[in-house]
Amino acid sequence: MDNHIFRSALSGFNRQDVMEYIERTQKQAEEAAARLEDQVRQARQECDEARQALDACTEEKEALSRQLEEMTVKFNHAKNNWEAQAQAKESFRQDVTQRDQTVRELTEETGRQLTPEEVSLYLDMPMEELEELLRIAGESVELAESGSREPQSG
């Protein structure tokens, strides 16, 4: 195997060639080490930047999660309120319909329109509540003018 890096001398390698080789390889090693150190520094910097970006994303995710949770709670409250209102309206509508039917039946039985006082007594309902009910029911329930007829017995 021929090694042309070193000039041969009688008693071995030329000292100058060996020294130049060592210096040259040492310089190449130092340059390679410097490049590697730069790459490590750059990789660490990129890693730090990536960690900061990840931390920012994590904070943003947590903030969005809190907002979503708050919005979910608000939505559930609104949904529950809407459902309760819908149930109350339906119950009230059924109550109005039932009382309307009762008034119609009484009107048919007596053969005349009933006064609000008669309906109030029959339904065992305060006059204020009956007036509110009649106001809401509108024209669907017709009663005689208050006081125009006395309740008939018999």
Side-chain angles (χ1 to χ4, degrees), residues 73-85:
V73 168
K74 288 178 183 179
F75 170 78
N76 286 334
H77 285 319
K79 178 183 160 216
N80 291 341
N81 287 340
W82 180 82
E83 288 172 348
Q85 288 175 356

Side-chain angles (χ1 to χ4, degrees), residues 89 92-93 96-97 128-141:
K89 285 179 182 178
F92 187 73
R93 187 193 64 75
V96 167
T97 301
E128 296 80 25
E129 188 177 330
L130 178 65
E131 288 170 355
E132 178 68 14
L133 185 66
L134 291 173
R135 183 187 66 75
I136 292 170
E139 297 178 13
S140 65
V141 179

Side-chain angles (χ1 to χ4, degrees), residues 3-145:
N3 194 345
H4 298 292
I5 298 175
F6 305 116
R7 290 178 280 169
S8 296
L10 237 6
S11 62
F13 295 109
N14 183 327
R15 179 176 169 77
Q16 185 63 33
D17 289 343
V18 171
M19 293 302 293
E20 288 173 4
Y21 174 77
I22 291 173
E23 289 173 2
R24 188 172 56 248
T25 56
Q26 183 177 0
K27 184 178 178 184
Q28 289 171 348
E30 288 172 357
E31 289 172 354
R35 282 193 304 274
L36 288 174
E37 287 175 3
D38 287 343
Q39 289 175 350
V40 167
R41 254 192 310 275
Q42 185 177 2
R44 284 184 179 152
Q45 183 179 3
E46 290 172 0
C47 182
D48 289 343
E49 291 170 0
R51 275 196 191 113
Q52 290 172 354
L54 178 62
D55 290 344
C57 287
T58 301
E59 289 173 9
E60 183 179 3
K61 177 189 164 248
E62 289 171 358
L64 290 172
S65 292
R66 284 190 301 272
Q67 287 177 346
L68 178 61
E69 187 175 323
E70 291 170 5
M71 292 174 74
T72 300
V73 168
K74 288 178 183 179
F75 170 78
N76 286 334
H77 285 319
K79 178 183 160 216
N80 291 341
N81 287 340
W82 180 82
E83 288 172 348
Q85 288 175 356
Q87 288 174 349
K89 285 179 182 178
E90 179 59 23
S91 175
F92 187 73
R93 187 193 64 75
Q94 289 175 354
D95 189 42
V96 167
T97 301
Q98 180 182 1
R99 291 175 192 258
D100 180 45
Q101 185 62 33
T102 302
V103 169
R104 289 180 196 280
E105 290 171 2
L106 283 173
T107 301
E108 286 179 21
E109 286 177 19
T110 61
R112 64 179 177 78
Q113 285 188 335
L114 302 172
T115 64
E117 290 82 9
E118 290 173 317
V119 174
S120 174
L121 289 172
Y122 183 78
L123 296 177
D124 193 30
M125 180 185 289
M127 268 309 281
E128 296 80 25
E129 188 177 330
L130 178 65
E131 288 170 355
E132 178 68 14
L133 185 66
L134 291 173
R135 183 187 66 75
I136 292 170
E139 297 178 13
S140 65
V141 179
E142 294 181 13
L143 298 176
E145 289 294 320

